[in-house]
Every structure is written in C-alpha cells, then in structure tokens.
Amino acid sequence: MPILQIRQAIRDAMKEEMERDERVFLMGEEVGYYNGAYKCSEGLLDQFGAKRVIDTPITETGFAGIGIGAAMCGLRPIVEFMTFNFSAVAFDQILNNASKIRHMTHGQFGVPMVFRGPNAAAHMLGSTHSQAFEHFYAHIPGLKVIAVATPYDAKGLLKTAIRDDNPVLFLESELMYSVKGEVPEEEYLIPFGQADIKRKGDAVTVITWGQGVPVALKAAELAAAEDLSCEVIDLRSIRPMDEAAIIASVKKTNRAVVVYHGWPTGGVGGDIVARIQELAFDDLDAPVLRVCYEDLPMPYAENLENLILPSPERALAAIRRVAYKR
C-alpha cells in the first residue's frame, strides 16, 4: 500500500474528484501557479487548466461568495483558505449564505461545496493566526465540519465532502501536512459521522480530533507505562458527531478526557462533556476533564506558546486524575 503525506492525500482526493466530475473546481490564493501554499494542489493547474484551478486575489469574502454562487448554479467548488483564520473575513458568507440558502429557498437551491485549509495553531504564528475554527462553525446548523489527522482519513473524507450536497468545512493542519501513512490505491470513501478508534483500551476514554490526535496518542503511550490502558477516539467528523461511539467507550471505561485545540469556553469540548453527562452519567466514575488551550490569546514566543497548547504531559496528568492516580 502506498505511503503518502497528508498533503499528497488531499491532492489525490481533489485530482480524482476533478477527473470524475467536471463540475468540481478549485479556487483560492496561490492554489494554481504556486501549486498551493502547502503544495496540496501540486500539478493540478497543469492537468486541469486555469478555468478549474483558479488563483484568486487576497479577497476571502469575494471568492467565498463566488464559490457559494457557483454551487447554487450547479457546480461543486473547493474553496481553499490559506489558513482558516482568514475565513473570519468571509464569516458572513459562510454563516448567512452557505449554511442557510437551502433552508431559506425551501430546497430550491443547494450549496454543494467544500471550504478547506489549515486550522488552529501552527508554530509561532501569534494570536491572529492560531485559532481553532471548528468551535465557531460546528455551532451552525446547515454546515458539516470535518477535522483530519491521517493521510487515510484525509483522502477518504475529502472525497466524501466533495460529493456531499451540503457545505462542508474541511479542517487540516499546517503542522501535519507532512504526516505519513498508508493510503489504498483503490477508491474508498469514509462516511461522515463515523469516529475511528485509533487505540483500544479499557481504563480511560480519550476523545480527540485534528491536531489533538497525536497529543492524545502520545499521552496514551505514556499512560500505558503506568498500567493505564487508554482508548483513543478520533472523532474525524465534528458535525455530525459519532455520539454512539463516544458513549459506548465511556460505558466501557467509566472515565473520559477530551483533548483538543481551542479555548475552553463555549467550544466542542464542552459540548462533548455535556453529551456524556446527559447520556452516560450513571456510568461515570470521575468527572470528565478537558485538555485544550489555556483561556488566553496565543503568544508568539515559543516558550509561552508551549505553555498554552495541549501537550502529552498535560493530557497524561488529566488521565491520571480521572483514574485517581495523581
């Protein structure tokens, strides 16, 4: 089975879907002649030409709106944000147009499109370039929100997103584009709303997604050395969420920790805690804990940034705490 980087898996997913369906096209800053800021669209301009791989000016509101209009007219755009931090400029287009047009036109118009790009903190990019946007977008009915952490998941879920008849926010990571993994040569799709158990265990459930996955897996490895067996669940799909997988694991382990990028107030992590206490309260032997950003703007200085970000050591401390081994 071929070994690909996440960036290559994303490129292959777009390439295959553009070959399969002539309505699919890519637009965004530097996606064409520069082959993408992170080389996720390498070679696509040469293969498909400038009508289907479109370099845009630095106008997120404009090209997000063009993409929405194209989707309403029957095309299937992939809109790349150089970082999801820049999607804030286009927030009105996503909030009030992409998510609501099907509802407000009583189904006369759909918006089959993908917004994709790197999300959350990278490395020493400061406060305005280090925000985790799944917490904003998962709040909005009418959107689907996906976060990937492996090449296999990136390709299978992006192909599903491109074929979906609804707007999909597809969240990647600058720090994980070079992560390698096996990707089948034959076509495959991964359905939305289906979590993946990245590591089996029976003592503590660790729920995570996106950049939180390697943190959770490392913490589980450290916990195993202390005879604590962690089950690591990668949600992959945040909206819709695989609630059944979370609850089944918690009923088995009776303990849960949520590891993710983002602030603690008003986010997906708090939503997961609420679902666990609503649906598995009697199964819990300890409070559900979260390991995420500190509730502060992200510093630029590396030593301070490391204090803000979730780490395997902080996750391990939470695992010990719910297992009453602190």
Side-chain angles (χ1 to χ4, degrees):
M1 193 177 295
I3 304 295
L4 299 181
Q5 296 180 350
I6 287 180
R7 61 165 55 86
Q8 295 169 319
I10 289 169
R11 179 204 59 205
D12 286 358
M14 293 191 292
K15 175 179 178 291
E16 290 174 15
E17 292 305 301
M18 291 174 77
E19 290 172 339
R20 188 188 69 87
D21 187 343
E22 64 181 10
R23 297 173 298 170
V24 178
F25 70 95
L26 173 66
M27 66 188 306
E29 297 155 2
E30 298 185 351
V31 299
Y33 288 101
Y34 193 67
N35 286 312
Y38 311 102
K39 300 299 179 276
C40 292
S41 53
E42 188 169 16
L44 298 186
L45 176 64
D46 292 338
Q47 180 173 353
F48 298 103
K51 286 188 176 181
R52 295 183 67 193
V53 180
I54 303 169
D55 281 318
T56 67
I58 304 174
T59 53
E60 284 81 7
T61 297
F63 65 74
I66 290 170
I68 292 166
M72 291 174 66
C73 292
L75 300 179
R76 290 185 172 269
I78 305 167
V79 170
E80 177 180 312
F81 294 119
M82 192 177 291
T83 162
F84 258 95
N85 293 281
F86 299 159
S87 76
V89 181
F91 188 67
D92 181 61
Q93 291 284 6
I94 300 169
L95 170 67
N96 285 320
N97 291 327
S99 71
K100 295 179 174 64
I101 282 170
R102 180 183 293 276
H103 167 76
M104 294 179 71
T105 64
H106 202 254
Q108 294 180 79
F109 290 97
V111 187
M113 68 181 300
V114 177
F115 298 97
R116 52 155 294 269
N119 176 57
H123 181 64
M124 297 178 64
L125 294 181
S127 300
T128 59
H129 289 66
S130 301
Q131 295 154 135
F133 273 83
E134 64 266 37
H135 309 283
F136 296 90
Y137 293 124
H139 184 64
I140 303 171
L143 300 179
K144 297 183 179 182
V145 183
I146 307 300
V148 296
T150 69
Y152 176 85
D153 292 343
K155 184 175 182 181
L157 284 163
L158 183 53
K159 288 173 71 72
T160 300
I162 294 168
R163 298 186 193 188
D164 199 283
D165 289 331
N166 300 282
V168 179
L169 284 294
F170 193 87
L171 309 177
E172 304 152 13
S173 165
E174 289 178 51
L175 295 179
M176 297 177 71
Y177 280 130
S178 61
V179 168
K180 294 180 180 180
E182 292 184 340
V183 178
E185 290 186 275
E186 64 273 13
E187 182 175 76
Y188 66 97
L189 302 173
I190 299 174
F192 292 165
Q194 188 177 99
D196 184 45
I197 298 176
K198 291 289 195 280
R199 180 182 179 122
K200 291 186 178 295
D202 57 17
V204 179
T205 297
V206 182
I207 303 147
T208 187
W209 62 90
Q211 286 191 14
V213 172
V215 176
L217 288 172
K218 180 61 177 178
E221 181 184 326
L222 296 173
E226 301 179 11
D227 294 323
L228 284 171
S229 172
C230 294
E231 182 149 285
V232 178
I233 298 178
D234 178 3
L235 290 181
R236 304 191 296 190
S237 176
I238 296 168
R239 186 179 182 115
M241 186 181 293
D242 192 349
E243 196 173 78
I246 296 170
I247 300 307
S249 182
V250 171
K251 285 179 178 289
K252 177 175 68 173
T253 66
N254 310 116
R255 296 169 174 84
V257 174
V258 189
V259 178
Y260 60 97
H261 273 232
W263 295 304
T265 302
V268 176
D271 177 44
I272 292 168
V273 174
R275 295 185 195 216
I276 292 171
Q277 70 87 18
E278 287 172 5
L279 299 172
F281 181 78
D282 291 336
D283 297 283
L284 289 172
D285 288 339
V288 181
L289 299 184
R290 292 174 293 162
V291 180
C292 55
Y293 293 175
E294 297 294 340
D295 203 10
L296 296 163
M298 189 66 65
Y300 171 77
E302 183 176 24
N303 61 324
L304 298 178
E305 182 181 56
N306 289 337
L307 294 175
I308 298 289
L309 293 171
S311 66
E313 293 74 23
R314 286 178 58 200
L316 176 61
I319 291 166
R320 288 172 178 157
R321 184 176 167 191
V322 299
Y324 298 108
K325 291 194 175 183
R326 53 180 174 170

